[in-house]
Coordinates of all heavy atoms in Angstrom, one line a residue:
T29 N 138.3 -131.5 61.2 CA 138.2 -132.9 61.5 C 137.6 -133.3 62.8 O 137.3 -134.4 63.1 CB 139.6 -133.5 61.4 OG1 140.5 -132.7 62.3 CG2 140.2 -133.5 60.0
L30 N 137.5 -132.3 63.8 CA 136.9 -132.6 65.1 C 135.6 -131.9 65.1 O 135.3 -131.0 64.4 CB 137.8 -132.1 66.2 CG 139.1 -132.9 66.4 CD1 139.9 -132.2 67.6 CD2 138.9 -134.3 66.7
N31 N 134.7 -132.4 66.1 CA 133.4 -131.8 66.2 C 133.6 -130.4 66.8 O 134.6 -130.0 67.4 CB 132.5 -132.7 67.1 CG 133.1 -132.9 68.5 OD1 133.6 -132.0 69.1 ND2 132.9 -134.2 68.9
P32 N 132.6 -129.6 66.8 CA 132.7 -128.2 67.2 C 133.1 -128.0 68.7 O 133.9 -127.1 69.0 CB 131.3 -127.6 67.0 CG 130.7 -128.5 65.9 CD 131.3 -129.8 66.1
I33 N 132.7 -128.9 69.6 CA 133.0 -128.8 71.0 C 134.5 -129.0 71.1 O 135.2 -128.2 71.8 CB 132.3 -129.8 71.8 CG1 130.7 -129.5 71.8 CG2 132.8 -129.9 73.2 CD1 129.9 -130.5 72.5
S34 N 135.1 -130.0 70.5 CA 136.5 -130.3 70.6 C 137.3 -129.1 70.0 O 138.3 -128.7 70.5 CB 136.9 -131.6 69.9 OG 136.3 -132.7 70.5
A35 N 136.8 -128.6 68.9 CA 137.6 -127.5 68.2 C 137.6 -126.3 69.2 O 138.6 -125.6 69.3 CB 136.9 -127.2 66.9
A36 N 136.4 -126.0 69.8 CA 136.4 -124.9 70.7 C 137.3 -125.1 71.9 O 138.0 -124.1 72.3 CB 134.9 -124.7 71.2
I37 N 137.4 -126.3 72.4 CA 138.3 -126.5 73.5 C 139.7 -126.3 73.1 O 140.6 -125.8 73.8 CB 138.1 -128.0 74.1 CG1 136.7 -128.1 74.7 CG2 139.2 -128.3 75.1 CD1 136.4 -129.5 75.1
T38 N 140.0 -126.8 71.8 CA 141.4 -126.6 71.3 C 141.8 -125.1 71.3 O 142.8 -124.7 71.7 CB 141.5 -127.2 69.9 OG1 141.1 -128.6 70.0 CG2 142.9 -127.2 69.4
L39 N 140.9 -124.3 70.7 CA 141.2 -122.9 70.6 C 141.3 -122.2 71.9 O 142.1 -121.4 72.2 CB 140.1 -122.2 69.8 CG 140.0 -122.6 68.3 CD1 138.7 -122.1 67.6 CD2 141.2 -122.2 67.5
A40 N 140.5 -122.7 72.9 CA 140.5 -122.1 74.2 C 141.9 -122.4 74.9 O 142.5 -121.6 75.5 CB 139.4 -122.7 75.1
V41 N 142.3 -123.7 74.7 CA 143.6 -124.1 75.3 C 144.7 -123.3 74.6 O 145.6 -122.8 75.3 CB 143.8 -125.6 75.2 CG1 145.3 -126.0 75.6 CG2 142.8 -126.4 76.0
A42 N 144.6 -123.1 73.3 CA 145.7 -122.4 72.6 C 145.7 -120.9 73.1 O 146.8 -120.4 73.3 CB 145.4 -122.4 71.1
G43 N 144.6 -120.3 73.3 CA 144.5 -119.0 73.8 C 145.0 -118.9 75.3 O 145.7 -118.0 75.6
F44 N 144.7 -119.9 76.1 CA 145.2 -119.9 77.4 C 146.7 -120.0 77.5 O 147.3 -119.3 78.3 CB 144.5 -121.2 78.1 CG 144.9 -121.3 79.6 CD1 144.6 -120.3 80.5 CD2 145.4 -122.5 80.1 CE1 144.9 -120.4 81.8 CE2 145.7 -122.6 81.4 CZ 145.5 -121.6 82.3
V45 N 147.3 -120.8 76.7 CA 148.7 -121.0 76.7 C 149.4 -119.6 76.4 O 150.5 -119.3 76.8 CB 149.2 -122.0 75.6 CG1 150.7 -122.0 75.5 CG2 148.7 -123.4 76.1
A46 N 148.8 -118.8 75.5 CA 149.4 -117.6 75.1 C 149.3 -116.5 76.1 O 149.9 -115.4 76.0 CB 148.7 -117.1 73.8
T47 N 148.5 -116.7 77.2 CA 148.4 -115.6 78.2 C 149.6 -115.4 79.0 O 150.3 -116.4 79.4 CB 147.2 -115.9 79.1 OG1 147.4 -117.1 79.7 CG2 145.9 -116.0 78.3
P48 N 149.9 -114.2 79.5 CA 151.1 -113.9 80.2 C 151.2 -114.6 81.6 O 152.2 -114.8 82.1 CB 151.1 -112.4 80.4 CG 150.1 -111.9 79.4 CD 149.2 -113.0 79.2
V49 N 150.0 -115.1 82.1 CA 150.0 -115.6 83.4 C 150.8 -116.9 83.5 O 151.3 -117.3 84.6 CB 148.5 -116.0 83.9 CG1 148.0 -117.1 83.1 CG2 148.5 -116.2 85.4
L50 N 151.1 -117.6 82.3 CA 151.9 -118.8 82.3 C 153.4 -118.5 82.1 O 154.1 -119.5 82.0 CB 151.4 -119.7 81.2 CG 150.0 -120.3 81.4 CD1 149.6 -121.1 80.2 CD2 149.9 -121.0 82.7
A51 N 153.8 -117.3 82.0 CA 155.1 -117.0 81.7 C 156.0 -117.2 82.9 O 156.7 -116.3 83.4 CB 155.3 -115.6 81.2
E52 N 156.0 -118.4 83.5 CA 156.9 -118.7 84.6 C 158.3 -118.9 84.1 O 158.6 -119.2 83.0 CB 156.4 -120.1 85.3 CG 155.0 -120.1 85.7 CD 154.8 -119.4 87.0 OE1 155.8 -119.1 87.7 OE2 153.7 -119.2 87.5
D53 N 159.3 -118.7 85.0 CA 160.7 -118.8 84.7 C 160.9 -120.3 84.4 O 160.5 -121.2 85.2 CB 161.5 -118.4 85.9 CG 163.0 -118.5 85.6 OD1 163.4 -119.0 84.6 OD2 163.8 -117.9 86.4
A54 N 161.5 -120.6 83.3 CA 161.7 -122.0 82.9 C 162.6 -122.7 83.8 O 162.7 -123.9 83.9 CB 162.3 -122.0 81.4
D55 N 163.4 -122.0 84.6 CA 164.4 -122.6 85.5 C 163.8 -122.8 86.9 O 164.5 -123.2 87.8 CB 165.6 -121.8 85.6 CG 166.4 -121.7 84.3 OD1 166.3 -122.7 83.6 OD2 167.0 -120.7 84.1
T56 N 162.5 -122.5 87.1 CA 161.9 -122.6 88.4 C 161.9 -124.1 88.8 O 161.7 -125.0 88.1 CB 160.4 -122.2 88.3 OG1 160.4 -120.8 87.9 CG2 159.7 -122.3 89.7
N57 N 162.2 -124.3 90.1 CA 162.3 -125.6 90.6 C 160.9 -126.3 90.5 O 159.9 -125.7 90.8 CB 162.8 -125.6 92.1 CG 164.2 -125.2 92.2 OD1 165.0 -125.5 91.3 ND2 164.6 -124.6 93.3
S58 N 160.9 -127.5 90.1 CA 159.7 -128.3 90.0 C 159.5 -129.2 91.1 O 160.4 -129.9 91.6 CB 159.7 -129.0 88.6 OG 158.6 -129.8 88.5
D59 N 158.2 -129.4 91.5 CA 157.8 -130.4 92.5 C 157.5 -131.7 91.8 O 157.2 -132.7 92.5 CB 156.6 -129.9 93.3 CG 156.9 -128.6 94.1 OD1 158.1 -128.5 94.5 OD2 156.0 -127.8 94.3
I60 N 157.5 -131.8 90.5 CA 157.1 -132.9 89.8 C 158.3 -133.5 89.0 O 158.9 -132.7 88.2 CB 155.9 -132.6 88.9 CG1 154.7 -132.1 89.7 CG2 155.5 -133.8 88.1 CD1 153.6 -131.5 88.9
E61 N 158.6 -134.7 89.1 CA 159.7 -135.3 88.3 C 159.3 -135.6 86.9 O 158.2 -136.1 86.6 CB 160.1 -136.6 89.0 CG 161.3 -137.3 88.3 CD 161.6 -138.6 88.9 OE1 160.9 -139.0 89.9 OE2 162.5 -139.3 88.4
S62 N 160.1 -135.1 86.0 CA 159.9 -135.4 84.5 C 160.5 -136.7 84.2 O 161.6 -137.0 84.5 CB 160.5 -134.3 83.7 OG 160.0 -133.0 84.0
I63 N 159.7 -137.5 83.5 CA 160.1 -138.9 83.0 C 160.8 -138.8 81.7 O 160.3 -138.1 80.8 CB 158.9 -139.8 83.0 CG1 158.3 -140.0 84.4 CG2 159.3 -141.2 82.4 CD1 157.1 -140.9 84.4
T64 N 161.9 -139.4 81.6 CA 162.6 -139.5 80.3 C 162.1 -140.8 79.6 O 162.1 -141.9 80.2 CB 164.1 -139.5 80.4 OG1 164.5 -138.3 81.0 CG2 164.8 -139.7 79.1
V65 N 161.7 -140.7 78.3 CA 161.2 -141.8 77.6 C 162.0 -142.0 76.3 O 162.8 -141.2 75.9 CB 159.7 -141.6 77.2 CG1 158.8 -141.5 78.5 CG2 159.5 -140.3 76.3
T66 N 161.8 -143.2 75.7 CA 162.4 -143.5 74.4 C 161.4 -143.8 73.3 O 161.7 -144.7 72.5 CB 163.4 -144.7 74.6 OG1 162.7 -145.8 75.2 CG2 164.5 -144.3 75.5
A67 N 160.3 -143.2 73.4 CA 159.2 -143.5 72.5 C 159.6 -143.3 71.0 O 159.2 -144.0 70.1 CB 158.0 -142.7 72.8

């Protein structure tokens, strides 16, 4: 449903997410406040 460029970006992001470099501890203190929404 998307053009080839968008599809390629999607697959690249999916592969990037799977890499071990992102395996930070979920409890790590964050410098960014998470907003709670009611969408």
Side-chain angles (χ1 to χ4, degrees):
T29 52
L30 290 180
N31 60 42
I33 295 176
S34 296
I37 295 174
T38 306
L39 293 172
V41 172
F44 182 56
V45 170
T47 59
V49 71
L50 293 179
E52 303 279 353
D53 185 348
D55 296 328
T56 300
N57 291 329
S58 173
D59 296 331
I60 301 170
E61 180 183 0
S62 297
I63 297 178
T64 298
V65 296
T66 54

